[in-house]
Amino acid sequence: MSEPLPSLLLIGCGQMGGALLDAWMEKGLAPSVIVDRHRNSLPAPHRVVRSLAEIPADFTPAAIILAVKPQKAMPVIEELAARRPDLASVSVFVSVMAGLTTASMADAVRKNVPAASPAMVRAMPNTPSAIGRGMTGLYAAPDVNDAQKSLCNTLLSSVGATVWVDEEDQINAVTAISGSGPAYVFLFAELLEEAGVKLGLPQDVARLLARKTTSGAGELLDHSSEDAAVLRHNVTSPGGTTAAALAVLRAPENWPSDILEAVTAAFKRARELAS
Ligand SMILES: NC(=O)c1ccc[n+]([C@@H]2O[C@H](COP(=O)([O-])OP(=O)(O)OC[C@H]3O[C@@H](n4cnc5c(N)ncnc54)[C@H](OP(=O)(O)O)[C@@H]3O)[C@@H](O)[C@H]2O)c1
């Protein structure tokens, strides 16, 4: 049996916080506290509380995971620092929230703990983390030490793959590619299903074909050492059906520009949220 993951204070347990928590619980987690009004109780030794005021005074987590919506984050960080100034110097803060910079979050801590140099990490996971197939990009601010980085890597690698970036702005690109990326794939599955129906297939058949094709191709890509381009090439006979479809998709004015435009829009939005 492997070591349990370190104790956590998870603030916000919705889509993303919940997905991470489910995976962490499955791996085994040291006694942790979850703050969220909607989450049902958890098996002991973990505790769910409804507000920051109810965090036990003697609970000192190794990491504080911030997973509320970005627009709600600043008051949460300020209140936590006011209630538990001791945590600012002992726990590493891990924000999974899009957009918010490490500097702005550290400033929120310092409003109530002026001398603090809190250790701030930004992590951008995605929802396949719920099934251990996540992809997380991470950035550590200068005040984060190697042990804290390693702890964050252990946490996030327990729900999938991890990669560290050197520049904080690159987290916005990670957000645009892998954070938002599952939604692009789901949209593709929806559109494939709709196209199947337009071609005369019953809805349930079109749905099955679209779902299994997107998930199967993703799985094949994950298991292969070949580039995506090679796998694509392998299933494209010259003059065949796949080639006919790809000629449309790969026309410069179609997917190559659409995908770049879409991802750039996500990147810009992530930057806007940060400003
Ligand atoms: N979903 C994704 O794919 C994804 C991927 C990467 C990162 N993220 C990031 O994850 C964060 C959360 O997104 P989400 O989709 O998980 O949102 P969500 O489903 O709305 O979850 C947020 C949860 O936090 C709770 N909450 C709000 N204020 C709180 C407070 N003061 N104390 C304790 N809990 C509080 C919310 O409760 P109420 O509803 O009552 O406010 C809700 O249950 C966002 O910042 C997002 O950028 C999401």
Side-chain angles (χ1 to χ4, degrees):
M1 183 105 177
S2 56
E3 286 274 294
L5 296 166
S7 64
L8 305 176
L9 173 61
L10 171 63
I11 305 178
C13 195
Q15 290 284 331
M16 196 65 239
L20 291 169
L21 180 66
D22 289 348
W24 289 332
M25 298 262 301
E26 192 140 313
K27 295 268 171 193
L29 188 60
S32 293
V33 173
I34 288 80
V35 188
D36 195 295
R37 281 179 300 196
H38 309 287
R39 183 80 194 197
N40 295 329
S41 62
L42 293 171
H46 309 301
R47 285 192 59 178
V48 180
V49 297
R50 302 286 169 226
S51 70
L52 298 173
E54 296 169 61
I55 298 169
D58 60 354
F59 175 66
T60 302
I64 299 167
I65 316 295
L66 300 163
V68 300
K69 292 282 192 202
Q71 53 275 25
K72 295 191 174 172
M74 290 309 172
V76 167
I77 298 171
E78 286 172 28
E79 185 186 339
L80 178 67
R83 292 186 181 281
R84 292 294 307 273
D86 57 309
L87 298 184
S89 53
V90 292
S91 309
V92 56
F93 290 74
V94 186
S95 162
V96 302
M97 302 176 296
L100 301 180
T101 63
T102 53
S104 66
M105 292 184 285
D107 282 347
V109 171
R110 276 193 287 268
K111 272 199 176 170
N112 290 309
V113 194
S117 302
M120 289 285 173
V121 169
R122 283 179 68 183
M124 182 45 60
N126 61 14
T127 48
S129 300
I131 56 163
R133 299 292 303 273
M135 178 69 240
T136 302
L138 294 133
Y139 167 77
D143 284 319
V144 181
N145 63 35
D146 285 349
Q148 290 168 326
K149 266 185 90 169
S150 163
L151 187 159
C152 295
N153 207 60
T154 301
L155 276 178
L156 275 309
S157 64
S158 74
V159 295
T162 57
V163 65
W164 289 83
V165 295
D166 297 329
E167 307 286 334
E168 183 155 6
D169 190 47
Q170 291 173 328
I171 280 287
N172 296 320
V174 170
T175 304
I177 303 292
S178 56
S180 303
Y184 314 155
V185 177
F186 299 143
L187 175 64
F188 177 74
E190 286 173 61
L191 295 175
L192 204 54
E193 177 181 331
E194 278 174 34
V197 171
K198 286 203 172 107
L199 292 179
L201 291 171
Q203 180 100 38
D204 58 336
V205 173
R207 184 180 153 88
L208 183 68
L209 296 177
R211 287 176 79 103
K212 291 295 177 190
T213 302
T214 40
S215 58
E219 195 81 5
L220 182 61
L221 182 60
D222 200 38
H223 280 78
S224 173
S225 55
E226 301 285 10
D227 283 343
V230 172
L231 295 179
R232 170 172 56 76
H233 190 74
N234 290 347
V235 292
T236 312
S237 318
T241 57
T242 309
L246 291 183
V248 176
L249 295 175
R250 299 193 70 219
E253 70 278 17
N254 290 336
W255 272 19
S257 63
D258 287 346
I259 302 261
L260 181 60
E261 198 181 329
V263 168
T264 305
F267 176 67
K268 284 185 180 158
R269 184 68 190 129
R271 272 187 168 171
E272 278 166 17
L273 288 171
S275 60

